[in-house]
Amino acid sequence: MANACKDLRPLIQDALDGELAEGGLRRLEAHAAECRSCAAELAAGRLAVAALAELPAPEPGPGFSAAVARGIAMAEVRRGLARVRLAWAAVVGTCAISALLVAGWRVISPAVLAGAGAWAWDIARSAAPLAEALGEAALTIARGLVPLGGVAAKLSWLGLGWLAVWYALAPAVLLLVVVGTRTGRRVARCPILCA
Amino acid sequence: MQDLAETQEESAIIAAARAGDEDAFAKIVDAYGRRVFSYCWRMCGRGAEDLAQEVFVKLYFALGQFEPGRALSPFLFRIAHNHCLDALRRRRVPTVPLESDSECGGLGARIPDPGPTPAESAKRSEVGRAVDKAMGSLPPAYRSVLVMRHVEGLSYEEISEALNLPMATVKIRIHRGREKLQQMLRPLVST
Ligand SMILES: [Zn+2]
């Protein structure tokens, strides 16, 4: 293909679209007058466009509009039926799901409740020794404090007051001991101190 | 069937049809029936009348989505195009071989005989038959744009709207489709 052909071939489609400017069209026509190949291409394009526009237009049958109206009526009936079916499906579905939920709950609930009870019992059981140990510790400390309180009461005319103070101090001291121990353990775990 | 000018009158008729006026919808069917049938015929051949009727049934239920004030043809041709593609897919005939006698093919051979009048028979020239056959052999993607552009006279913009494709793509498809037709028609061009 000559250079002129390469340049001008792409213009053929624009020419067929009627979008080629006057100058471009003149160049294309001038080239086609000399180049048989491009002339044939352009002529075939024009022939195609003209033939497409003149293709015989098939007509629908005489009952076309009536058939469309019938089609719409039938589609409306089908849509109505579909809506009724959908409504029924919704009712039946809701009932079925509700029944399944109730039945399922009845079957599962004893096991669930038993499981939850066992779980609560496990917690209580594992917590009980802990609570007991704590109680023992508190009692031991308190027992140790009581004689001291007694001695203090004997040493003072305000013995009863001192006794009350000792008993009030007992939980505070216990708290201090606990907090002190925990802090001590934490400090002991500190990497710098461990190293 | 008279042509419905895409004017205020058309807008009024569409608005009435949207509101459920059956007479107004019948006017739309009268105005566009031939074009939709022709498009379905060019795209699918056999069964085109049923397809075209189904397109209008679809249009009836889709009018609620139509944007008032716009031209109806791109909207209608979009429905027709999608319906034809569905039909082609159902038939499993993706492309039509030249001069085939398959369900959707051989359009040239299947155009209803325009009638016994000698004048009309004479119109069906060699070129016409060749274009018919060539169109039948094109893939649907090219056939659709060529029918919309050169048979139905839609603008590039309308085709782009109908096919939901960018204008550039529509243009490329039209050019390629036309080039394929050109190749098939070249033997008929005397140089
Ligand atoms: Zn050339």
Side-chain angles (χ1 to χ4, degrees):
Chain A
M1 208 190 285
N3 274 341
C5 300
K6 264 188 199 157
D7 290 344
L8 292 170
R9 276 283 166 91
L11 299 185
I12 290 178
Q13 291 304 321
D14 291 334
L16 295 176
D17 276 334
E19 285 182 351
L20 196 56
E22 185 89 12
L25 194 61
R26 260 205 306 272
R27 268 174 62 218
L28 183 64
E29 301 269 15
H31 174 73
E34 292 166 359
C35 173
R36 287 181 64 174
S37 169
C38 287
E41 208 59 48
L42 186 60
R46 284 181 173 153
L47 192 67
V49 170
L52 281 173
E54 282 168 17
L55 276 178
E59 288 272 349
F64 185 78
S65 303
V68 170
R70 266 200 311 279
I72 290 170
M74 278 164 67
E76 267 175 342
V77 168
R78 272 199 302 274
R79 284 181 159 217
L81 281 176
R83 270 198 289 271
V84 169
R85 271 192 215 116
L86 198 69
W88 272 109
V91 168
V92 171
T94 309
C95 290
I97 289 168
S98 307
L100 272 175
L101 282 176
V102 169
W105 178 247
R106 288 198 64 159
V107 170
I108 294 165
S109 59
V112 169
L113 288 177
W119 188 62
W121 176 241
D122 279 349
I123 288 177
R125 242 188 353 207
S126 56
L130 196 71
E132 212 170 317
L134 282 174
E136 281 293 330
L139 207 60
T140 310
I141 293 169
R143 274 198 195 116
L145 290 173
V146 169
L148 282 174
V151 172
K154 278 175 190 165
L155 287 175
S156 167
W157 290 109
L158 299 168
L160 279 174
W162 278 106
L163 197 64
V165 170
W166 273 112
Y167 277 105
L169 276 174
V173 171
L174 179 62
L175 193 70
L176 269 175
V177 168
V178 171
V179 170
T181 309
R182 287 173 68 96
T183 311
R185 278 186 191 149
R186 202 172 295 154
V187 170
R189 279 200 299 272
C190 181
I192 297 170
L193 294 176
C194 289
Chain B
M1 290 183 199
Q2 75 280 9
D3 264 2
L4 201 66
E6 285 170 1
T7 56
Q8 284 182 326
E9 192 200 356
E10 187 185 85
S11 298
I13 289 170
I14 294 167
R18 268 165 67 103
D21 182 340
E22 286 175 13
D23 289 341
F25 190 76
K27 277 182 190 164
I28 296 175
V29 177
D30 276 348
Y32 286 96
R34 191 203 57 75
R35 292 178 71 188
V36 169
F37 171 65
S38 162
Y39 184 77
C40 294
W41 174 260
R42 295 274 158 217
M43 288 299 287
C44 294
R46 204 178 72 187
E49 187 147 349
D50 288 343
L51 288 174
Q53 284 162 11
E54 286 154 17
V55 167
F56 280 104
V57 173
K58 281 190 170 178
L59 173 72
Y60 181 83
F61 292 107
L63 267 183
Q65 297 153 34
F66 177 70
E67 222 175 289
R70 298 187 71 107
L72 184 65
S73 41
F75 187 77
L76 181 55
F77 274 99
R78 178 188 289 211
I79 296 173
H81 177 71
N82 291 337
H83 198 58
C84 286
L85 287 191
D86 285 345
L88 288 174
R89 254 180 243 125
R90 276 200 305 273
R91 293 170 182 183
R92 290 177 196 172
V93 185
T95 56
V96 185
L98 194 65
E99 290 189 82
S100 84
D101 201 21
S102 62
E103 278 189 60
C104 219
L107 291 181
R110 285 172 176 278
I111 283 278
D113 204 274
T117 65
E120 276 186 342
S121 299
K123 257 192 208 170
R124 300 199 55 190
S125 62
E126 196 187 352
V127 174
R129 280 196 299 276
V131 169
D132 250 351
K133 267 183 210 163
M135 283 293 279
S137 74
L138 283 182
Y142 297 126
R143 199 157 69 221
S144 59
V145 288
L146 288 182
V147 173
M148 284 187 193
R149 179 78 194 97
H150 293 298
V151 181
E152 298 306 329
L154 265 64
S155 68
Y156 275 27
E157 205 175 352
E158 286 174 325
I159 299 171
S160 143
E161 199 182 327
L163 299 180
N164 201 20
L165 288 173
M167 285 263 271
T169 309
V170 169
K171 200 166 182 173
I172 289 169
R173 279 197 192 173
I174 288 179
H175 286 191
R176 290 204 183 135
R178 228 162 30 197
E179 277 164 4
K180 284 174 195 284
L181 270 191
Q182 269 167 242
Q183 282 164 18
M184 295 175 203
L185 294 182
R186 267 198 74 162
L188 298 176
V189 178
S190 53
T191 50

